[in-house]
Amino acid sequence: MNDEPPRAAGRTARTALTAAPALLVTALIVTGCGGGHKGASAGASPAGGKEKLPEATTYTTLDDLPRDEAPSAKSDGTVVHPNDAVPVSAKPGAPAVAELPSTQLKGPTWVPVVESRPGWRRVLLPSRPNGVTGWIPDSGLKSARSSSAVKVDLGDKKLTLSQGGRQVGSWSVAIGAPKTPTPTGRTFMLASLAPAKPTFSPLVLPVGAHSATLDTFGGGPGTVAFHGWPSKSVFGKAVTHGCVRVPADALNKLAKVPLGTPVQITD
């Protein structure tokens, strides 16, 4: 538990993510929090009749796994990274219905732990539906603890960043419009994308949640993200497709937050 997971825009994560295909980066940025195709659902069978487990990524829908029963609960910051793909089950010891890959969006997979039992970890997953969880074996995991916590208060349109229980910043932000709201609940810092030719933001920081109202928008998977915006006039308003637009200072600080760090979004 002494190691800290990679920071969202640290050298390791950013090097890998900058090399991501331009189409993927563009899709996530253009959707800004919009939609895209829905990936395979749990239990889908490929051609040839052999069942293949779907990957638990931002592109997949996993309907055969339990939802987070305590979306407002605080996490202790424990996060895990699978060295290789690991099976995901609905209960400890149950048959696997998906697998969690070791990488997400060209960067390492770090997910927060919400419950532990001997030999097992229950983790939040980056797939649809929002709040989906799964049990993974404790073996073959790298474990760490993030001292950071991110909170978005949709009512006040405020983002707060804390480290070690101490607030280090609070900013007015733009949130989802009434018809395309920012989803509530607990999620986590999923990845960091640095577009080669940035338009409205030098970084896009996806989280493990999706728009609840947009399934297709710009070709992306509907992943919600933190990103910057060139005009300060949007801050304090509900005007986005579901993403959270943040000031430059907030984006710079969020870029240093370790992957897997819990993100709490409240009404």
Side-chain angles (χ1 to χ4, degrees), residues 166-187:
R166 181 177 64 87
Q167 181 175 307
V168 296
S170 181
W171 302 268
S172 177
V173 298
I175 64 169
K179 292 185 178 180
T180 53
T182 301
T184 59
R186 57 177 173 178
T187 181

Side-chain angles (χ1 to χ4, degrees), residues 40-136:
S41 296
S45 298
K50 293 184 178 180
E51 184 174 356
K52 181 180 179 181
L53 293 176
E55 289 189 329
T57 72
T58 191
Y59 290 97
T60 35
T61 296
L62 303 174
D63 292 321
D64 297 335
L65 290 169
R67 300 285 291 275
D68 185 8
E69 298 99 346
S72 61
K74 290 185 178 180
S75 167
D76 69 357
T78 301
V79 296
V80 292
H81 164 64
N83 296 321
D84 296 298
V86 294
V88 182
S89 304
K91 297 179 180 180
V97 296
E99 65 177 18
L100 182 66
S102 62
T103 60
Q104 299 271 340
L105 301 175
K106 303 296 181 178
T109 296
W110 284 92
V111 290
V113 175
V114 297
E115 187 179 353
S116 295
R117 294 184 185 177
W120 294 86
R121 300 275 195 164
R122 187 181 181 187
V123 298
L124 283 177
L125 298 171
S127 307
R128 289 179 184 267
N130 288 338
V132 66
T133 70
W135 289 90
I136 59 177

Side-chain angles (χ1 to χ4, degrees), residues 82-267:
N83 296 321
D84 296 298
V86 294
V88 182
S89 304
K91 297 179 180 180
V97 296
E99 65 177 18
L100 182 66
S102 62
T103 60
Q104 299 271 340
L105 301 175
K106 303 296 181 178
T109 296
W110 284 92
V111 290
V113 175
V114 297
E115 187 179 353
S116 295
R117 294 184 185 177
W120 294 86
R121 300 275 195 164
R122 187 181 181 187
V123 298
L124 283 177
L125 298 171
S127 307
R128 289 179 184 267
N130 288 338
V132 66
T133 70
W135 289 90
I136 59 177
D138 201 13
S139 59
L141 299 179
K142 184 176 182 180
S143 181
R145 180 164 290 169
S146 173
S147 62
S148 301
V150 181
K151 181 180 178 180
V152 179
D153 186 321
L154 299 180
D156 291 338
K157 302 177 182 64
K158 292 280 187 180
L159 182 148
T160 303
L161 173 62
S162 301
Q163 293 177 347
R166 181 177 64 87
Q167 181 175 307
V168 296
S170 181
W171 302 268
S172 177
V173 298
I175 64 169
K179 292 185 178 180
T180 53
T182 301
T184 59
R186 57 177 173 178
T187 181
F188 58 98
M189 301 294 289
L190 176 63
S192 172
L193 300 175
K197 296 181 179 180
T199 52
F200 54 79
S201 182
L203 283 175
V204 175
L205 308 176
V207 300
H210 298 78
S211 168
T213 57
L214 296 175
D215 290 334
T216 57
F217 186 89
T223 309
V224 171
F226 297 116
H227 61 74
W229 199 254
S231 173
K232 296 180 180 180
S233 64
V234 301
F235 301 133
K237 298 179 181 179
V239 293
T240 80
H241 287 107
C243 278
V244 179
R245 300 176 188 173
V246 304
D249 181 53
L251 186 66
N252 290 336
K253 285 185 170 61
L254 288 172
K256 298 175 183 177
V257 171
L259 299 179
T261 292
V263 175
Q264 190 77 49
I265 304 176
T266 62
D267 289 320

